[in-house]
Amino acid sequence: MVEAVKQKGNNEKRRRILDGALKAFAKKGFYNTKVSEIASEAGVADGTIYLYFKNKDDLLISLFEDRMEWIIERLSSEMEQTDGGFAEKLALFIRLHFMLVLENQDLAEFITVELRQSAKFVKEYSNPKFGDYLKMLQGLLEQAQQAGELRQELDARLVSRAIFGALDEVLLQLSLSTKLDVAEVERRTAMLSDMFIGGLAP
Amino acid sequence: MVEAVKQKGNNEKRRRILDGALKAFAKKGFYNTKVSEIASEAGVADGTIYLYFKNKDDLLISLFEDRMEWIIERLSSEMEQTDGGFAEKLALFIRLHFMLVLENQDLAEFITVELRQSAKFVKEYSNPKFGDYLKMLQGLLEQAQQAGELRQELDARLVSRAIFGALDEVLLQLSLSTKLDVAEVERRTAMLSDMFIGGLAP
DNA sequence: TCACACTGAATGAATCACCATTCATTCTTT
DNA sequence: AAAGAATGAATGGTGATTCATTCAGTGTGA
């Protein structure tokens, strides 16, 4: 086996490969995507991919980290700019979560489907970036608890998981549906934050 | 794609193959499982599998249908026996959902991980059994709305998705964790139903 | 009761298409 | 001209599927 290759100045080609991989994985899934397809999507030769990534698995993991990092950065920088209460912050979080889809449907399909895979089959890879994402949400909840805006008796860790799961499932549906419009996203955002904050009971 | 091959008197062998496939898929995932591994797990020859299933994909789908049917039957028969209000019914639903894990961890891993896969890559297979599962939950919500126990303005379809997603995500975590005890399941059941019914706000 | 087809189920070694990975060669840059 | 980057045809391993063969059960006739 060949060892990892370092990244030199040519990030641009690396980027093209990652973009091509995202597109291909979103369309056909990891196992049904040929390396040669990624290469042609990226406009490079098959072998070139191995100058930037150790193997196909490494490409998958690298793609994850790259995109999750991007998402986390965007989310957290946008979240910082609000100074509303918990309800508003949660609504904003949900909206941002969904909006990232509209902007990049391939990314949504990739994240919703392949994240599960990696949770299980790439066990040795603990997926720290996804952990960061969850911690953001959990931090939001804990803050709210300290401010008395969230019931104390709820376990922030469990609740953050539940919220993420709910969003992810709705997102999966959104990402697989053909027509996606902002109005529909707004409707779901509003209803879900309402549901979480106020509960189901009248 | 799907096309039943045959089912003579020997359902027992078919059953063994499905059991072996479940075990293998849960452990290594669909794409990393060799047909020969399933065969040896089931105690049959490689070729025998093709007497009962058209190909590996067909085996995956058949396994789904078989297990989902079982889950739905169990869930709905248990749900019928309660006559409590909405809150109790929801708590029961959540508890049953989780309990199935304790009883059969392989099944939980298989469902949580591979269901996603199929949602996307086996698009032509519309997964009616999963639809039935969701409809059960949706029906529960609609009933509650008619009884005035659930806020009218919430969309039962969207809410059922969200609840399923939340449960599924928590289940994924449960199914991947090493120690699983009833007390922990009860704790999460109680907290999640409390959260859904009462909301996050104090 | 036994010997002998006959039939469908089961076997598992062999096939063969597929595709990740390699590396000798070519191209580009300094 | 030398170093580094890129190429893409060739390689080698893999594993789903096939099918010629074997096995087991059942019925028949003597």
Side-chain angles (χ1 to χ4, degrees):
Chain A
M1 288 278 147
V2 183
E3 52 244 293
V5 177
K6 64 192 63 172
Q7 66 206 72
K8 290 305 276 291
N10 202 345
N11 278 34
E12 192 270 339
K13 198 153 285 186
R14 187 185 143 95
R15 175 119 263 112
R16 283 223 314 272
I17 294 170
L18 287 172
D19 290 348
L22 174 62
K23 198 165 171 184
F25 289 161
K27 187 154 70 180
K28 313 180 65 181
F30 179 72
Y31 290 104
N32 289 315
T33 297
K34 299 178 230 200
V35 171
S36 63
E37 289 171 345
I38 297 170
S40 89
E41 186 71 56
V44 301
D46 296 10
T48 305
I49 287 177
Y50 293 86
L51 299 175
Y52 294 89
F53 302 95
K54 205 163 63 178
N55 51 38
K56 200 183 169 189
D57 284 354
D58 183 41
L59 176 53
L60 176 68
I61 290 177
S62 302
L63 180 56
F64 248 133
E65 308 225 306
D66 184 80
R67 295 314 206 241
M68 283 303 266
E69 202 161 337
W70 180 80
I71 289 176
I72 289 168
E73 268 167 25
R74 284 212 41 188
L75 265 179
S76 60
S77 85
E78 301 237 26
M79 291 296 293
E80 272 169 13
Q81 295 180 12
T82 187
D83 53 355
F86 172 55
E88 279 155 78
K89 279 186 177 159
L90 182 63
L92 178 60
F93 188 88
I94 294 174
R95 179 178 299 110
L96 289 172
H97 187 104
F98 288 160
M99 278 303 179
L100 291 174
V101 193
L102 282 180
E103 291 173 12
N104 193 344
Q105 194 156 350
D106 283 346
L107 180 56
E109 296 195 16
F110 173 70
I111 295 283
T112 54
V113 176
E114 306 292 339
L115 189 58
R116 286 280 165 123
Q117 288 283 44
S118 78
K120 181 144 189 0
F121 303 120
V122 196
K123 270 184 186 160
E124 71 274 19
Y125 161 60
S126 60
N127 208 341
K129 289 296 193 308
F130 174 58
D132 290 349
Y133 184 94
L134 273 186
K135 282 216 191 73
M136 234 180 95
L137 183 51
Q138 192 183 329
L140 185 69
L141 296 173
E142 280 162 354
Q143 261 181 270
Q145 273 181 325
Q146 287 180 0
E149 294 180 290
L150 169 59
R151 290 156 65 197
Q152 300 293 333
E153 66 269 29
L154 295 174
D155 173 356
R157 227 164 98 63
L158 179 61
V159 171
S160 69
R161 279 272 175 188
I163 293 178
F164 170 77
L167 298 187
D168 196 46
E169 176 70 29
V170 174
L171 188 56
L172 176 63
Q173 235 195 328
L174 277 174
S175 74
L176 295 179
S177 80
T178 46
K179 60 160 195 73
L180 278 185
D181 60 288
V182 179
E184 185 53 27
V185 169
E186 284 299 339
R187 190 187 140 261
R188 297 192 193 203
T189 297
M191 193 170 292
L192 287 178
S193 47
D194 184 27
M195 177 192 89
F196 278 117
I197 298 290
L200 299 174
Chain B
M1 186 185 218
V2 192
E3 169 110 283
V5 175
K6 71 182 49 162
Q7 75 234 64
K8 290 305 276 292
N10 204 345
N11 278 36
E12 191 271 337
K13 197 153 287 189
R14 188 186 142 94
R15 175 119 262 111
R16 283 223 314 273
I17 294 170
L18 288 172
D19 290 349
L22 174 61
K23 199 166 171 183
F25 290 162
K27 188 153 69 180
K28 314 180 63 180
F30 179 72
Y31 290 105
N32 289 313
T33 298
K34 298 177 228 195
V35 171
S36 62
E37 289 170 347
I38 297 170
S40 89
E41 186 71 57
V44 301
D46 295 9
T48 305
I49 287 177
Y50 292 86
L51 298 176
Y52 293 89
F53 303 95
K54 204 163 75 189
N55 52 38
K56 199 182 167 190
D57 284 355
D58 183 39
L59 176 52
L60 176 68
I61 290 176
S62 301
L63 180 56
F64 248 132
E65 308 225 306
D66 184 81
R67 296 313 207 243
M68 282 303 267
E69 201 160 337
W70 180 80
I71 289 176
I72 289 169
E73 269 168 23
R74 283 212 41 188
L75 265 179
S76 60
S77 84
E78 301 236 28
M79 290 296 294
E80 273 171 11
Q81 294 178 15
T82 186
D83 53 355
F86 172 56
E88 280 155 76
K89 279 187 178 160
L90 182 63
L92 179 60
F93 188 88
I94 293 175
R95 180 178 299 108
L96 289 172
H97 188 103
F98 287 161
M99 278 304 177
L100 292 173
V101 194
L102 283 180
E103 291 172 13
N104 194 343
Q105 196 155 351
D106 283 346
L107 180 57
E109 296 197 16
F110 173 69
I111 295 284
T112 53
V113 176
E114 306 292 338
L115 188 58
R116 286 281 166 123
Q117 289 283 43
S118 78
K120 178 140 189 9
F121 302 119
V122 196
K123 269 183 185 160
E124 74 272 19
Y125 161 61
S126 59
N127 207 342
K129 291 295 194 306
F130 174 59
D132 290 349
Y133 184 94
L134 273 186
K135 282 216 191 72
M136 233 180 95
L137 183 52
Q138 192 182 331
L140 185 70
L141 296 174
E142 281 163 354
Q143 262 181 270
Q145 274 180 325
Q146 286 179 0
E149 294 180 291
L150 169 59
R151 290 155 63 195
Q152 300 293 332
E153 65 271 29
L154 295 173
D155 173 355
R157 228 164 98 62
L158 179 60
V159 171
S160 69
R161 279 272 174 185
I163 292 178
F164 171 78
L167 298 186
D168 196 47
E169 176 70 28
V170 174
L171 189 55
L172 176 64
Q173 235 196 328
L174 277 175
S175 74
L176 294 180
S177 79
T178 46
K179 58 159 194 78
L180 278 185
D181 59 288
V182 178
E184 183 55 25
V185 169
E186 284 300 339
R187 192 188 139 259
R188 296 191 193 205
T189 297
M191 191 169 293
L192 287 178
S193 47
D194 184 26
M195 177 191 90
F196 278 118
I197 298 290
L200 299 174

